């Protein structure tokens, strides 16, 4: 069990202050303390307020702040799995990636990679809240320095297209680049929830040709989230695995606040069942991306993002606790 810090416990959902309602205090992810140093965290949640690689509707730079706000609604215990992540690991809000060159995609990606590398160097399991989906590429660069990792990718889009408007690093291309750079093993990659119209089949073709398992949403609905989760578990096995969750995997009725909404997607309950079926894998990092508050309605997308981030946090904390025991 991680050592408790009495000075910080008062802000933990695991030991709530009865005199501090959830709508008080500065908003942090899951009401976690802001990290004072790199020695006090096992899992570091951090914001990546960046949307410089979007191909259409801008706004995901505001995602981390609004997910923080809505995450104040989260409490400690997962009712379905009974996991209390705050009892299993020291979880801290690490703040946001400090950008200095936001108008340059590649320079911004370098800064994201450097931030994640800093956390990994302190043995902190990184969990990023974005931001557009291009941020997964620099995060994978930090995580996969010693070799490719497996990938569980939940999304409406394969994100394996190529250049757009002269940039190879747009938010529709991170996993094509990750394959080319040897960051992920495509034969240990599963893409879940893929759907929507495209002007070209290039991305789908690349995913299939490289060896990825692509689960279109029709198959997802037919087989159900539990069966797809079981297949994902079998596919990645005990290999180090990165989990990336794009909020547009949800149908727009559950997540209108995103850059590229596609009808026919998952319900929030299906997403919960899917994530809960992905326990006990060898997670080396995760992200949740593409929450775009300017397009949201009543904060429902940010709330879904916060709730699904809690589900992912449960997965990470359970695995981190077992590694330390």
């Amino acid at each position: 069990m991680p050592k408790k810090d009495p000075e910080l416990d008062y802000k933990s959902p695991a030991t709530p202050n009865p005199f501090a309602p959830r709508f008080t205090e500065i908003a942090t992810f899951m009401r976690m303390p802001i990290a004072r140093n790199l020695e006090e965290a096992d899992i570091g949640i951090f914001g990546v307020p960046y949307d410089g690689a979007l191909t259409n509707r801008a706004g995901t730079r505001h995602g981390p702040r609004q997910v923080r706000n809505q995450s104040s609604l989260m409490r400690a215990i997962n009712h379905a799995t009974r996991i209390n992540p705050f009892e299993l690991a020291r979880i801290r809000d690490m703040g946001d990636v400090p950008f200095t060159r936001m108008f340059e995609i590649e320079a911004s990606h370098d800064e994201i990679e450097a931030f994640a590398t800093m956390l990994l160097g302190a043995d902190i399991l990184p969990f990023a809240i974005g931001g557009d989906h291009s941020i997964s590429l620099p995060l994978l660069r930090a995580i996969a320095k010693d070799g490719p990792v497996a990938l569980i990718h939940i999304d409406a889009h394969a994100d394996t297209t190529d250049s757009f408007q002269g940039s190879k690093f747009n938010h529709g291309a991170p996993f094509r680049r990750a394959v080319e750079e040897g960051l992920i093993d495509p034969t240990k990659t599963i893409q879940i929830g893929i759907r929507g119209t495209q002007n070209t089949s290039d991305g789908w073709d690349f995913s299939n040709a490289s060896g990825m398992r692509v689960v279109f949403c029709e198959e997802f609905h037919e087989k159900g989230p539990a069966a797809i989760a079981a297949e994902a578990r079998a596919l990645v096995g005990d290999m180090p695995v990165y989990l990336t969750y794009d909020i547009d995997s949800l149908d727009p009725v559950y997540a209108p606040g995103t850059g590229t909404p596609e009808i026919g997607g998952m319900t929030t309950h299906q997403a919960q069942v899917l994530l809960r079926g992905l326990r006990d894998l060898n997670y080396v990092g995760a992200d949740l991306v593409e929450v775009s508050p300017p397009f949201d309605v009543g904060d429902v997308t940010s709330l879904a993002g916060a709730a699904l981030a809690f589900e992912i946090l449960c997965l990470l904390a359970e695995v981190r606790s077992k590694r330390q025991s």
Side-chain angles (χ1 to χ4, degrees):
M1 295 291 291
K3 293 181 180 179
K4 290 188 176 181
D5 185 339
E7 182 182 344
L8 298 175
D9 270 354
Y10 79 100
K11 290 188 68 177
S12 168
T15 54
N17 180 348
F19 302 106
R22 285 178 288 159
F23 52 82
T24 64
E25 298 290 346
I26 297 171
T28 62
F29 288 123
M30 310 298 166
R31 292 189 293 143
M32 284 290 92
I34 296 173
R36 299 171 302 183
N37 55 62
L38 294 175
E39 286 70 44
E40 66 184 32
D42 299 315
I43 298 173
I45 314 180
F46 60 100
V48 190
Y50 180 75
D51 60 8
L54 284 172
T55 56
N56 191 9
R57 306 196 304 177
T60 58
R61 68 183 64 184
H62 303 291
R65 178 172 292 189
Q66 198 58 19
V67 171
R68 279 188 175 98
N69 287 339
Q70 293 303 309
S71 74
S72 67
L73 292 167
M74 301 302 105
R75 285 169 283 197
I77 304 172
N78 188 311
H79 77 276
T81 64
R82 291 298 193 268
I83 295 173
N84 182 337
F86 312 105
E87 289 186 346
L88 297 178
R90 298 173 302 163
I91 303 163
R92 297 290 182 268
D93 188 324
M94 311 305 295
D96 287 348
V97 173
F99 290 105
T100 63
R101 299 170 68 185
M102 291 195 74
F103 295 104
E104 302 176 44
I105 295 176
E106 292 173 64
S108 296
H109 283 184
D110 288 344
E111 292 179 323
I112 296 168
E113 180 184 354
F115 192 89
T117 298
M118 174 186 69
L119 299 184
L120 291 163
D123 195 28
I124 297 172
L125 189 60
F127 182 15
I129 307 293
D132 71 51
H133 217 156
S134 75
I135 73 167
S136 294
L137 178 61
L139 294 171
L140 283 166
R141 286 171 177 162
I143 286 166
K145 290 187 185 299
D146 295 327
V149 299
L151 179 71
I152 297 176
H153 172 202
I154 305 168
D155 200 330
H157 311 97
D159 289 351
T160 47
T161 55
D162 208 340
S163 297
F164 180 80
Q165 292 288 303
S167 174
K168 299 194 305 179
F169 302 106
N170 66 81
H171 76 147
F175 304 113
R176 188 186 193 114
R177 304 284 89 87
V179 170
E180 293 170 350
E181 294 181 23
L183 305 176
I184 60 174
D185 181 345
T187 68
K188 295 292 184 179
T189 294
I190 184 168
Q191 300 184 304
I192 303 170
I194 309 304
R195 64 189 190 279
T197 57
Q198 296 287 338
N199 289 323
T200 171
S201 64
D202 177 57
W204 304 328
D205 295 342
F206 181 90
S207 292
N208 286 320
S210 65
M212 296 180 183
R213 168 70 167 108
V214 182
V215 181
F216 284 88
C217 222
E218 289 74 14
E219 182 181 0
F220 176 85
H221 288 308
E222 179 182 350
K223 292 183 176 178
I228 298 302
E231 182 179 349
R233 289 173 52 83
L235 179 71
V236 305
D238 59 1
M239 189 172 177
V241 59
Y242 187 83
L243 173 62
T244 180
Y245 193 101
D246 190 322
I247 203 69
D248 71 21
S249 64
L250 298 177
D251 191 275
V253 301
Y254 303 97
T258 191
T260 315
E262 306 282 2
I263 68 168
M266 301 179 192
T267 69
T268 47
H269 178 64
Q270 286 176 321
Q272 288 175 312
V273 172
L274 175 62
L275 289 170
R276 291 167 188 165
L278 297 175
R279 294 173 66 177
D280 296 322
L281 296 176
N282 185 17
Y283 291 109
V284 289
D287 65 52
L288 184 142
V289 299
E290 297 284 354
V291 173
S292 188
F295 294 98
D296 209 356
V297 179
D299 292 326
V300 297
T301 310
S302 299
L303 176 60
L308 295 177
F310 175 77
E311 296 288 346
I312 295 170
L313 186 61
C314 289
L315 300 177
L316 300 181
E318 186 176 39
V319 168
R320 183 60 191 246
S321 175
K322 290 179 179 178
R323 288 176 187 165
Q324 292 174 324
S325 62

